[in-house]
């Protein structure tokens, strides 16, 4: 009987001790989550609405688990586990440093809310704004108002920016501008995502690319690209930029429209897809796809694949007359920024107007030649056609002046479509449409 009672006593005693140990462990765990004061030159404690409040002044240093806080002055709300910090605020978590004029640190949520000259430094990345929050658990920074992010190759400005440390991901919203310091390209838009680990970026909402370059003669040459959606792939060997849907390109005397464009920066190669049309000065070319090869950012060659068609005004005094060339494929070679030669393969057809110069120097029209063959080669001089060579299955017809005068449009080749309204840029680097 006595033994049974003693065993029952030990049983309840053990349960009581375990409950006490659990309560103590829980209390110690909660205490470890409280913000700890490491140093302050002076401390004033008081009660406010039955809550414990401490005012810390001078060289204040606090610690919360793996997070350190420094400031000139702080008010610590002990019961709320909250700090209001003023003057030279610094918050540090491993390699990240957050600085501001003032802010609030919420111990239970582990979030720092900062205001005034807010700056976050994380390795090679720095982030600045007027306002900034940092969630130390999610490792997420949200910055607002005059935001600026700087890393080794890029500067991003926006109205708001989300910086995910773990995923190395950034999202910028509102008046976004991304400047690449390596190639002097700036992209503007309303929304931007950057995945640093994948070396991939995408920009939406009225994106526009601007690249300001200077030619060898000191002339500023600016490239502008607009579309509805832009992406960048920054691989070590292949750097590719693309624009999708309603794409417009303007650079110097060259302008273009197409459905999609792909620009390989390191290869100096531009590929235009989906109904591309390219204008160079007054000349127009079109096809199923167009590839532009550059050397030192100048046009070297243009390749047109599928339904290739080139149109060039014959003479400004005769606005209805156009020299025309079409075929399955076409290659245009440039020299000193002017067309040097054109080579057309497969089902090549040429239409070119003839002009004669009289003794008085007056230029008179003298009909048109319609020539076809397996291939056509045309040589130019000073941008004007100098000679033409047709190879294989040659057929030619000459139409005298009296037959074509006033009826030029009826002699145009099948598929002719000269677009007079083409894109240009104004002084504000905006795309305008002009004839």
């Amino acid at each position: 009987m006595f033994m049974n009672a003693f065993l029952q006593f030990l049983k309840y005693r053990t349960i009581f001790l375990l409950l006490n140990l659990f309560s103590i462990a829980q209390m110690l765990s909660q205490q470890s989550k409280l913000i700890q004061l490491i140093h302050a030159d002076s401390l004033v404690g008081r009660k406010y609405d039955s809550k414990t409040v401490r005012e810390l002044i001078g060289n204040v240093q606090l610690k919360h688990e793996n997070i350190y806080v420094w400031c000139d002055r702080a008010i610590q709300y002990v019961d709320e586990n909250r700090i209001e910090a003023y003057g030279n605020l610094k918050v540090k978590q491993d390699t990240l440093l957050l600085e501001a004029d003032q802010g609030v640190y919420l111990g239970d949520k582990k979030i720092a809310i900062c205001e005034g000259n807010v700056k976050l430094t994380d390795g090679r990345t720095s982030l600045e704004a007027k306002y900034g929050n940092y969630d130390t658990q999610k490792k997420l920074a949200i910055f607002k108002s005059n935001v600026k992010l700087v890393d080794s190759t890029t500067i991003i400005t926006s109205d708001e920016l989300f910086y995910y440390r773990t995923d190395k991901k950034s999202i910028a919203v509102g008046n976004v501008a991304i400047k690449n310091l390596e190639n002097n390209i700036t992209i503007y838009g309303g929304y931007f995502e950057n995945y640093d680990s994948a070396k991939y970026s995408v920009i939406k909402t009225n994106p526009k690319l601007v690249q300001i370059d200077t030619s060898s003669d000191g002339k500023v040459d600016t490239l502008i690209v607009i579309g509805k959606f832009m992406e960048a792939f920054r691989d070590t060997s292949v750097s590719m930029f693309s624009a999708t849907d309603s794409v417009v390109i303007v650079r110097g005397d060259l302008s273009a429209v197409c459905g999609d464009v792909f620009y390989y920066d390191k290869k100096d190669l531009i590929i235009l897809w989906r109904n591309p049309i390219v204008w160079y000065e007054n000349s127009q070319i079109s096809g199923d796809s167009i590839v532009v090869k550059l050397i030192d950012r100048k046009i070297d060659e243009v390749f047109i694949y599928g339904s290739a068609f080139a149109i060039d005004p014959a003479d400004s005094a005769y606005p209805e007359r156009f020299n025309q060339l079409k075929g399955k494929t076409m290659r245009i070679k440039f020299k000193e920024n002017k067309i040097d030669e054109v080579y057309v393969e497969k089902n090549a057809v040429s239409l070119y107007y003839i002009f004669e110069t009289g003794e008085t120097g007056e230029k008179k029209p003298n009909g048109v030649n319609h020539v076809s063959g397996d291939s056509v080669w045309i040589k130019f001089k000073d941008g004007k056609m100098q000679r033409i060579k047709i190879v294989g299955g040659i057929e030619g017809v000459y139409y005298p002046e009296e037959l074509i005068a006033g009826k030029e449009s009826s002699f145009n080749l099948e598929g002719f479509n000269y677009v007079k309204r083409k894109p240009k840029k104004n002084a504000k680097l905006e795309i305008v449409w002009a004839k």
Side-chain angles (χ1 to χ4, degrees), residues 64 115 168 183 195 200 252 261 301 326 348 359 391 407:
H64 187 227
E115 179 181 353
K168 295 185 178 180
N183 52 25
Y195 300 84
Y200 168 77
V261 65
E301 289 181 292
K326 61 179 290 188
E359 295 179 358
V391 178
K407 302 176 183 178

Side-chain angles (χ1 to χ4, degrees), residues 40 66 89 122 154 176 197 209 234 250 269 284 340 349 396 403 406:
N66 67 334
L89 170 62
D122 185 19
T154 309
V176 181
S197 298
L209 178 147
R234 303 179 304 278
V250 176
L269 203 66
Q284 174 188 301
D340 184 53
V349 184
L403 288 180

Side-chain angles (χ1 to χ4, degrees), residues 328-377:
K328 190 170 183 180
T329 63
M330 186 182 302
R331 180 177 69 90
I332 303 174
K333 181 72 175 175
F334 286 80
K335 187 177 181 180
E336 296 178 356
N337 291 328
K338 293 186 180 294
I339 296 177
D340 184 53
E341 60 183 41
V342 177
Y343 184 71
V344 184
E345 285 189 295
K346 297 180 181 179
N347 305 320
V349 184
S350 171
L351 180 81
Y352 61 95
Y353 285 86
I354 302 170
F355 294 89
E356 293 182 349
T357 305
E359 295 179 358
T360 59
E362 184 181 358
K363 200 172 185 179
K364 293 183 179 182
N366 188 22
V368 66
N369 273 332
H370 183 288
V371 182
S372 63
D374 293 339
S375 62
V376 174
W377 175 80

Side-chain angles (χ1 to χ4, degrees), residues 8 26 29 124 145 167 176 187 266 269 276 384 389 422:
Q8 192 74 12
Q26 189 176 36
S29 174
R124 295 180 300 173
S145 186
D167 298 333
V176 181
I187 302 177
K266 294 181 180 180
L269 203 66
K384 299 294 181 181
K389 180 180 179 181
K422 59 184 179 180

Side-chain angles (χ1 to χ4, degrees), residues 88-182:
N88 299 309
L89 170 62
K90 295 181 182 180
V91 179
K92 191 175 188 304
Q93 183 187 39
D94 50 71
T95 60
L96 180 141
L97 177 64
L98 180 65
E99 302 173 87
D101 292 341
Q102 62 185 39
V104 176
Y105 179 75
L106 308 176
D108 292 343
K109 295 182 178 180
K110 296 183 180 180
I111 295 176
I113 304 170
C114 302
E115 179 181 353
N117 298 308
V118 184
K119 182 177 181 179
L120 181 151
T121 306
D122 185 19
R124 295 180 300 173
T125 301
S126 67
L127 186 58
E128 301 174 8
K130 186 175 180 180
Y131 306 99
N133 298 350
Y134 178 61
D135 188 323
T136 63
Q137 296 184 96
K138 296 180 180 178
K139 294 191 175 182
L140 167 64
I142 303 175
F143 276 40
K144 298 181 180 181
S145 186
N146 301 320
V147 182
K148 181 180 180 181
L149 184 148
V150 180
D151 62 21
S152 57
T153 60
T154 309
I155 298 175
I156 301 173
T157 58
S158 63
D159 294 337
E160 185 175 12
L161 191 140
F162 300 80
Y163 174 62
Y164 299 82
R165 289 187 68 202
T166 303
D167 298 333
K168 295 185 178 180
K169 170 185 173 183
S170 302
I171 298 176
V173 181
N175 296 307
V176 181
I178 309 107
K179 184 174 182 179
N180 189 303
L181 303 176
E182 293 179 327

